[in-house]
Amino acid sequence: MNKAILFNFEVERENYLIKVERSFQAPTDLVWAAWTESEILDQWWAPKPWQAVTKSMDFKEGGRWHYYMQSPEGDKHYCLFDYQEIRPQAYFAGQDAFCDENAVISEAMPRTSWENTFTAAGEDTLVRVNIKFEKLADLENIIQMGFKEGFTAGLENLDQYIAAQFYLRKQNKPNKKARVTAYINLPGNTEEAFTFYKSVFKTEFINGIKRFGEIPAGPDQPPVPEEIKKMVLHVELPLLGDFVLMGTDAPKEMGFTLTQGNNMHISLEPENLEEAHRLFTELSVGGTIEMPLQKMFYGAYYGGFADQYGINWMINFQENE
């Protein structure tokens, strides 16, 4: 059962201050990453149906996040955040502003100072946000623009993101020990095939079979079609020694086209992200990249490509313990 989520939103008009306290059911490193990495911020910062899009981000003291909020109709509102003080996984502060596409700050809109504090609370993380305005009129203006409703919706997006992160995270790979595996794609009979392999090798699935229907709906993702919910999203079966065979269904409804030759990958799981990038970059030279190495909804970095000899590779790196 999910625990209750703490959410306090307090306006101190006498101090020109908005104070927010919000808990997240995730460890501090995960929540910190969600607030400080652009590829994750883009997934939750904007209230639906708007979307946050990062133009540039340099998360360091003196650095800047420049982004815009885009409506379904294509309207864009540019903003920036100047980072002033950072204490990793504990605190960051800075000033935000409305601006244009060239990061020229608007003089017509107020700037506000943010202090964000991250505190471990058991298995959860408590985030305290203090937003300081220069004068009461600026605070009132932001409130009237719907800041509370928009910020609240964004935080709910982050709850969904965190739920998705935990779906596959650490379930099948409890540590960062490097390993090489084979990964096969089948058109819809993965469970049948792996049940057969299981009977031959007399081993057991690692953490059972994960199905497409178990995927949490992401902030900007459509629900999984009913007809594929029971299909296999991921399964692992030890064969001989330390070798593990992995597999998934690759249904046409999800955009996959299987042909003999593209339905097996060599899957590499290096010990750190730097090595993951090196392997991806060097092995993919002259090949065809299917997906650049990037952070996925379930918390790992993933990239796939066919090398210059037509051999298919997957690179996976699970960031957090």
Side-chain angles (χ1 to χ4, degrees):
M1 177 181 295
N2 289 333
K3 293 173 286 188
I5 292 175
L6 170 68
F7 180 47
N8 293 319
F9 189 100
E10 182 180 355
V11 178
E12 294 184 358
R13 285 180 168 77
E14 65 277 18
N15 297 318
Y16 314 152
L17 183 67
I18 293 175
K19 300 171 68 175
V20 180
E21 285 187 319
R22 181 63 150 77
S23 65
F24 297 93
Q25 295 174 350
T28 303
D29 64 328
L30 181 65
V31 178
W32 174 263
W35 284 73
T36 60
E37 297 181 13
S38 60
E39 63 268 29
I40 308 178
L41 279 162
D42 286 352
Q43 297 183 51
W44 69 269
W45 185 252
K48 298 174 184 177
W50 290 66
Q51 183 175 6
V53 180
T54 294
K55 288 201 67 179
S56 62
M57 186 176 192
D58 187 13
F59 183 70
K60 65 180 184 182
E61 293 182 357
R64 170 175 285 182
W65 179 33
H66 183 208
Y67 65 99
Y68 58 85
M69 302 269 202
Q70 180 168 290
S71 74
E73 294 76 28
D75 296 331
K76 297 178 180 178
H77 295 280
Y78 287 87
C79 303
L80 59 81
F81 191 98
D82 289 325
Y83 298 103
Q84 297 172 331
E85 182 179 355
I86 296 172
R87 299 196 292 272
Q89 299 200 25
Y91 172 89
F92 73 87
Q95 272 197 312
D96 74 356
F98 292 90
C99 64
D100 65 13
E101 62 185 77
N102 298 312
V104 177
I105 294 174
S106 170
E107 300 294 335
M109 298 297 294
R111 298 199 71 177
T112 52
S113 297
W114 290 60
E115 289 187 300
N116 304 313
T117 304
F118 300 75
T119 306
E123 296 179 348
D124 298 347
T125 299
L126 179 63
V127 180
R128 293 184 175 90
V129 181
N130 285 355
I131 309 171
K132 179 72 173 177
F133 296 78
E134 292 185 358
K135 54 183 183 291
L136 180 59
D138 292 342
L139 185 154
E140 298 287 9
N141 186 30
I142 291 297
I143 293 293
Q144 290 177 5
M145 290 173 63
F147 172 76
K148 180 179 180 180
E149 293 77 12
F151 194 49
T152 301
L155 297 176
E156 290 171 351
N157 291 343
L158 179 52
D159 287 330
Q160 287 186 299
Y161 170 81
I162 287 171
Q165 283 267 349
F166 275 107
Y167 172 63
L168 289 176
R169 181 177 174 179
K170 294 196 303 183
Q171 291 199 16
N172 294 331
K173 190 169 187 289
N175 57 54
K176 291 182 179 177
K177 183 180 179 181
R179 64 177 179 175
V180 181
T181 64
Y183 205 109
I184 61 175
N185 298 328
L186 294 168
N189 56 344
T190 299
E191 184 169 3
E192 175 187 329
F194 272 73
T195 300
F196 169 70
Y197 298 144
K198 177 182 169 184
S199 69
V200 173
F201 290 97
K202 303 185 186 309
T203 54
E204 295 294 331
F205 299 141
I206 299 174
N207 290 322
I209 295 176
K210 307 302 177 187
R211 301 184 187 279
F212 280 95
E214 299 175 57
I215 301 175
D220 301 307
Q221 295 173 332
V224 175
E226 286 293 329
E227 59 270 25
I228 67 168
K229 281 186 174 179
K230 292 184 179 179
M231 288 189 178
V232 176
L233 172 66
H234 182 78
V235 62
E236 298 186 6
L237 181 70
L239 299 187
L240 296 174
D242 294 330
F243 185 86
V244 175
L245 182 67
M246 302 180 183
T248 184
D249 279 320
K252 291 183 292 185
E253 292 86 344
M254 299 291 281
F256 296 101
T257 302
L258 281 187
T259 56
Q260 291 296 323
N262 75 354
N263 61 341
M264 174 168 273
H265 292 70
I266 299 173
S267 179
L268 305 180
E269 300 182 52
E271 290 184 333
N272 57 64
L273 184 57
E274 181 181 8
E275 181 68 358
H277 277 292
R278 186 190 71 79
L279 291 170
F280 186 94
T281 301
E282 296 186 9
L283 283 172
S284 65
V285 170
T288 301
I289 293 176
E290 299 169 350
M291 179 179 289
L293 187 64
Q294 59 187 289
K295 197 160 193 175
M296 304 300 291
F297 73 94
Y298 49 84
Y301 283 82
Y302 170 79
F305 58 90
D307 69 16
Q308 57 187 311
Y309 306 107
I311 304 300
N312 298 307
W313 297 83
M314 293 177 169
I315 308 291
N316 280 286
F317 171 66
Q318 194 75 45
E319 186 177 34
N320 300 303
E321 293 294 336

